[in-house]
Amino acid sequence: MKEKSRKKLWVKRRHRVVFAVLRVILTPILWLKYRYGADRAPIKSGPCIILNNHQGTMDPFFVAKSFHFPLYFVASDDLFNLKVSPLIRWLVNPIPKSKSMADLNAVKSILRVLKEGGAVSIAPEGNRTLSGRQWEMTDAIAKLVKVSKVPLVLYNLKGGYGVDPRWGGKARRGTYYRGCVKRIVPPEEYRDMSVAELFELIKRELDVDDTALGARYKSRRRAEYIERALYMCPVCGSVGSIRSEGKYFSCTHCGTKAEYTEGLAIDPPFGGYDRIYGWYEWERKEIVNRVLAGERVQDTGILFRESVKMKKKIRLPGDTVCIDKDAICVSGEGVSARYPFDEIDAVTAVGKKKFNFYWKGKILQVKGDERFCSIKYVHIFDGVRAAAENNAPDCGRS
């Protein structure tokens, strides 16, 4: 028994106390600030895997409100670089994972928590939505569920994009914001499913469209910083020309202007788009075509750092970042560094105005100003890499 006790290092008795106290403290705060309410989950304890769509900064707290037992959240690198990281680890012991990359250590930690009877909470998109619709995810999450052989809890957050869009500056007062368990899939139900079938089920059950709720979200600054998501004008094609103020935004190049409404619509339609997600999907493809044709994208006034897990970030020289079809480059007074795509494992958006790229075992981070759009760098890298893979010769074919 002593040997078994020594091995049980992740799930702690104190976590149950911490979650119970946090639930009492946070319930009125979440209601007063966000008007958020949650339905109580029908499942009473772990082990289980809880998957949720990812809408806002506070999602872990919103999800946890439905469950009356501790959840062990999978968290990205940046959480473990904060001054309060040691306290967070002691209180709730989240599971660290590198964004947009396979992480074997994270998988081992997840299975370990489940083996100890804990409940693991994961946002399989890995990134909060910028468009209001589902972020891309991989079938790795379905493979993990298959290996775990524990109940799968599918959880929906609705209204979070309306209340606290990732690109926004301030939370809005909404008429609907709620979380609930959408479905519980026991292991005997998904055991005979293929990975592809289970993955399709996960995507389908986690897909939420706040624009279809019919709710309204009030703010006099509801369009503020929309250029963090919309970086290309669909009227004139200029990049980096969208500027927001109050409830309106416009293109500084062609002068086209529209309102972002309380109902999450664009009025009048901007270049034919009346919803953010349609515009977002267009620019995601269009920017790749233009970069492949020789265009470069550049931003100045950036902060360049190396992010080291469990330590403070290290500032690196350079105040300008640019990207073309071959590399990310960072330059400044007396310095120029080039990071070829074939040496980069992944590029991922972090927070509202940062992106990380994983280069030769290092996590390098670019942070911009208040209007910096990080997602265009992710779109370009992912799109160029996908194009290269699609055009590569298949040596296995005769």
Side-chain angles (χ1 to χ4, degrees):
M1 288 294 291
K2 288 183 179 180
E3 181 66 24
K4 184 177 180 181
S5 179
R6 276 196 293 269
K7 289 182 179 179
K8 191 173 181 178
L9 299 174
W10 205 288
V11 176
K12 304 286 187 180
R13 187 176 299 176
R14 68 171 178 267
H15 298 151
R16 184 171 291 275
V17 177
V18 169
F19 268 79
V21 172
L22 287 176
R23 190 175 296 110
V24 172
I25 294 172
L26 290 175
T27 293
I29 295 174
L30 297 180
W31 172 253
L32 289 172
K33 184 171 183 179
Y34 299 103
R35 289 294 189 267
Y36 176 77
D39 297 341
R40 187 163 182 170
I43 191 166
K44 304 301 180 183
S45 65
C48 63
I49 290 180
I50 301 161
L51 303 183
N52 65 277
N53 58 309
H54 202 3
Q55 293 188 325
T57 310
M58 303 286 284
D59 282 358
F61 298 103
F62 297 144
V63 173
K65 193 175 183 305
S66 285
F67 299 86
H68 284 241
F69 51 87
L71 308 184
Y72 294 87
F73 295 95
V74 176
S76 64
D77 301 313
D78 258 32
L79 180 67
F80 299 90
N81 295 117
L82 303 175
K83 290 181 180 179
V84 296
S85 294
L87 177 61
I88 293 173
R89 292 200 300 273
W90 188 87
L91 288 172
V92 295
N93 209 7
I95 300 167
K97 183 189 180 300
S98 295
K99 272 193 172 187
S100 301
M101 291 179 62
D103 191 330
L104 183 58
N105 287 331
V107 173
K108 289 179 179 178
S109 297
I110 290 168
L111 295 177
R112 177 179 169 188
V113 171
L114 295 173
K115 188 175 181 180
E116 294 177 11
V120 176
S121 180
I122 307 171
E125 293 160 276
N127 257 302
R128 286 178 285 147
T129 179
L130 267 166
S131 69
R133 298 306 302 270
Q134 193 172 81
W135 197 288
E136 291 181 2
M137 63 179 89
T138 73
D139 64 1
I141 190 63
K143 294 175 182 177
L144 173 64
V145 172
K146 293 277 284 184
V147 170
S148 74
K149 300 177 182 178
V150 298
L152 170 62
V153 182
L154 297 164
Y155 192 92
N156 279 178
L157 290 163
K158 297 181 178 181
Y161 187 75
V163 169
D164 185 25
R166 181 176 181 174
W167 48 262
K170 297 281 186 179
R172 299 96 198 279
R173 186 58 60 94
T175 56
Y176 188 89
Y177 193 3
R178 197 153 193 91
C180 65
V181 172
K182 177 74 179 295
R183 180 176 176 180
I184 297 177
V185 188
E188 54 269 23
E189 183 176 337
Y190 66 71
R191 180 179 55 211
D192 295 329
M193 289 184 183
S194 67
V195 169
E197 289 171 335
L198 180 56
F199 186 45
E200 286 304 314
L201 182 150
I202 291 169
K203 289 193 293 183
R204 182 176 66 251
E205 299 292 5
L206 295 186
D207 190 22
V208 171
D209 178 8
D210 278 5
T211 67
L213 297 176
R216 305 189 74 80
Y217 301 89
K218 295 183 178 181
S219 171
R220 287 178 291 182
R221 297 188 289 178
R222 56 182 177 267
E224 194 171 68
Y225 304 129
I226 203 169
E227 58 266 47
R228 292 172 177 167
L230 304 178
Y231 54 83
M232 182 182 292
C233 177
V235 177
C236 68
S238 56
V239 177
S241 62
I242 301 299
R243 288 293 180 271
S244 60
E245 185 176 356
K247 58 185 181 180
Y248 300 99
F249 64 100
S250 61
C251 173
T252 59
H253 188 263
C254 68
T256 307
K257 184 177 181 179
E259 177 186 354
Y260 184 60
T261 73
E262 293 179 357
L264 313 184
I266 298 170
D267 185 32
F270 202 117
Y273 295 106
D274 64 355
R275 295 290 189 275
I276 288 178
Y277 53 75
W279 182 336
Y280 181 88
E281 286 303 312
W282 166 78
E283 68 184 5
R284 182 171 68 91
K285 298 172 184 177
E286 182 65 18
I287 193 68
V288 175
N289 293 332
R290 289 170 59 164
V291 169
L292 287 172
E295 192 166 324
R296 293 176 51 167
V297 172
Q298 177 176 298
D299 286 281
T300 59
I302 59 99
L303 176 63
F304 189 39
R305 301 182 289 187
E306 180 182 352
S307 180
V308 183
K309 283 185 180 181
M310 314 300 179
K311 295 182 181 179
K312 292 182 178 179
K313 295 182 177 71
I314 303 167
R315 183 162 186 170
L316 301 174
D319 60 9
T320 299
V321 61
C322 73
I323 187 170
D324 58 28
K325 63 181 180 180
D326 299 310
I328 294 173
C329 299
V330 178
S331 60
E333 188 174 347
V335 63
S336 180
R338 185 173 184 272
Y339 303 93
F341 284 175
D342 58 10
E343 295 178 1
I344 297 174
D345 294 317
V347 179
T348 184
V350 179
K352 295 177 182 286
K353 52 186 179 180
K354 297 178 285 189
F355 72 87
N356 286 353
F357 62 98
Y358 299 82
W359 175 77
K360 293 186 175 181
K362 294 183 177 182
I363 305 172
L364 302 180
Q365 184 177 95
V366 173
K367 180 181 180 181
D369 62 19
E370 289 300 312
R371 298 184 184 276
F372 178 69
C373 175
S374 63
I375 194 60
K376 62 180 180 283
Y377 291 89
V378 180
H379 286 171
I380 292 167
F381 176 83
D382 288 348
V384 170
R385 173 160 286 184
E389 290 173 354
N390 290 337
N391 293 329
D394 188 347
C395 298
R397 293 180 181 175
S398 57

